[in-house]
Amino acid sequence: ENLDEKAQEKLEKELSTEIEVIKRDDRLETIAKDIVAHFPCRGYLGKGMVVSLDKYTAVKMYDKVQKYWKDEIKRLVGLVSKANDAGYKQRLQKTLDFMRSVEMAVVISEDAGEEERFAKQGLDIKPHRKKINDIDANGHDIEYRFKDPNDKLQLVFVCAMWLTGFDAPTVSTLYLDKPMKDHSLMQTIARANRVFKEDKTAGFIVDYINVFRNLKSALAIYAPKTASAQDLMIDAPGEVDQKQL
C-alpha cells in the first residue's frame, strides 16, 4: 500500500513469481482449513489476525475461513450428539460454543472505486466496508471492539492496517501469509507479544510464508544485542514443531 506507480511496478516485477504462488486458490484453501482447525484449539483463546498479501486475498481468506468454519460447526454438532463419554462430549461442546461465539471481519483501507475492482475479482467489498465503518449501539467502532477482550469480534483479516502502531494486548495469535522483513516484520510480530493478564503467557505465530528467514536480519537491527533468532520461535506448518513466541 501507499507506493507510487514506479515503486509498485518495481515491486511487482521483483515478486511476480512468488506472488502468483502465494495467491494460488488451492494454497489459500489449505491455509483456510488450517486456521479453522487451529484457532479454536489454542489453549489461551485470545484474539487473532490473519495477515494476507493484499486486500483481495484478505477478503478471499475471510470467505474461505467462513466456509470451513461453518462446516466445522456442523461436524461438531454431529459429534456432540453421538458422543457417549461425558468428558469427551464436554470438550467438544466447549469448542462448539467458542466457535459459535466468534465474529470475524475484514479490516482494509478504503479506495475510490473499490466496489468495481473487487467485483472484477468476484468479490463483494460492500458488507465488509459497512462493517468497518459501522458504529455499534454503544458508540464503539470496529477498532474499539477488537481491542475489547469481552467483545465477540475475535478474528480479523488484514493486509496492512493494524500491523504497526496498533496496540491490542488481547491479540495472541498471528497467521502470517505475507512477505515481510526488517521494521515491518518486527512491528507485526509485536502485535501478539503484548502482556495481558496472567492467562496470556505467550503470543503464537503461525508462519505460512517463511518469514523466519528474515528474522535474523531484523533482530540485528531492532532487537537487543543479546537476542537471537531462536528467542523468537515461529510455527512453520509442516517444517518445524509448534513453538511459542
Side-chain angles (χ1 to χ4, degrees):
E1 289 194 348
N2 303 320
L3 296 177
D4 60 35
E5 186 174 346
K6 185 176 180 180
Q8 184 171 334
E9 288 178 359
K10 180 181 179 182
L11 180 64
E12 288 176 353
K13 183 177 180 180
E14 291 178 351
L15 297 179
S16 59
T17 303
E18 184 177 12
I19 285 173
E20 290 309 310
V21 172
I22 293 170
K23 292 163 65 174
R24 278 180 59 103
D25 195 68
D26 56 346
R27 179 180 178 277
L28 298 181
E29 290 277 336
T30 300
I31 291 174
K33 292 177 183 178
D34 190 69
I35 291 171
V36 171
H38 179 260
F39 194 72
C41 306
R42 297 164 292 146
Y44 171 70
L45 298 176
K47 301 202 175 188
M49 303 175 74
V50 180
V51 184
S52 295
L53 178 69
D54 56 28
K55 296 178 182 181
Y56 304 119
T57 309
V59 174
K60 287 179 182 178
M61 285 304 301
Y62 171 90
D63 291 343
K64 292 179 185 301
V65 169
Q66 283 282 301
K67 171 191 171 185
Y68 291 115
W69 195 269
K70 292 174 183 177
D71 290 346
E72 180 63 9
I73 286 176
K74 291 180 182 178
R75 189 183 76 87
L76 287 173
V77 169
L79 290 175
V80 168
S81 66
K82 296 176 182 178
N84 295 318
D85 180 84
Y88 176 58
K89 187 171 185 175
Q90 185 177 25
R91 290 193 298 272
L92 290 173
Q93 188 64 53
K94 183 178 180 180
T95 301
L96 179 59
D97 291 343
F98 173 76
M99 294 190 72
R100 283 173 166 168
S101 73
V102 169
E103 182 180 334
M104 305 179 197
V106 174
V107 181
I108 54 178
S109 60
E110 187 171 6
D111 292 326
E114 64 179 9
E115 289 185 14
E116 182 180 351
R117 289 200 296 274
F118 274 87
K120 288 181 179 178
Q121 299 284 332
L123 303 168
D124 186 5
I125 189 60
K126 288 182 286 186
H128 301 296
R129 185 59 57 204
K130 182 179 184 301
K131 190 166 190 173
I132 293 168
N133 294 333
D134 268 356
I135 305 296
D136 69 13
N138 298 313
H140 299 153
D141 61 10
I142 194 169
E143 181 174 330
Y144 184 98
R145 291 187 58 206
F146 189 63
K147 291 181 177 181
D148 181 358
N150 298 315
D151 194 285
K152 62 182 182 179
L153 180 59
Q154 295 285 321
L155 185 62
V156 295
F157 297 76
V158 303
C159 65
M161 288 183 66
W162 293 5
L163 297 186
T164 61
F166 179 78
D167 186 26
T170 57
V171 173
S172 67
T173 307
L174 293 178
Y175 299 97
L176 298 184
D177 195 32
K178 177 181 180 179
M180 293 180 179
K181 62 180 181 179
D182 299 339
H183 178 73
S184 297
L185 174 58
M186 296 305 292
Q187 284 284 302
T188 300
I189 287 175
R191 298 313 97 205
N193 200 29
R194 293 281 281 106
V195 174
F196 181 74
K197 298 184 178 180
E198 295 180 356
D199 293 338
K200 182 183 176 184
T201 59
F204 199 103
I205 297 173
V206 181
D207 176 15
Y208 296 113
I209 201 69
N210 193 19
V211 295
F212 186 79
R213 62 190 172 185
N214 296 323
L215 271 180
K216 287 186 178 181
S217 58
L219 282 168
I221 300 172
Y222 298 105
K225 298 300 182 182
T226 55
S228 70
Q230 292 304 313
D231 292 327
L232 298 175
M233 292 301 189
I234 294 183
D235 177 18
E239 296 180 11
V240 296
D241 293 335
Q242 291 188 350
K243 299 180 177 68
Q244 287 186 318
L245 167 61

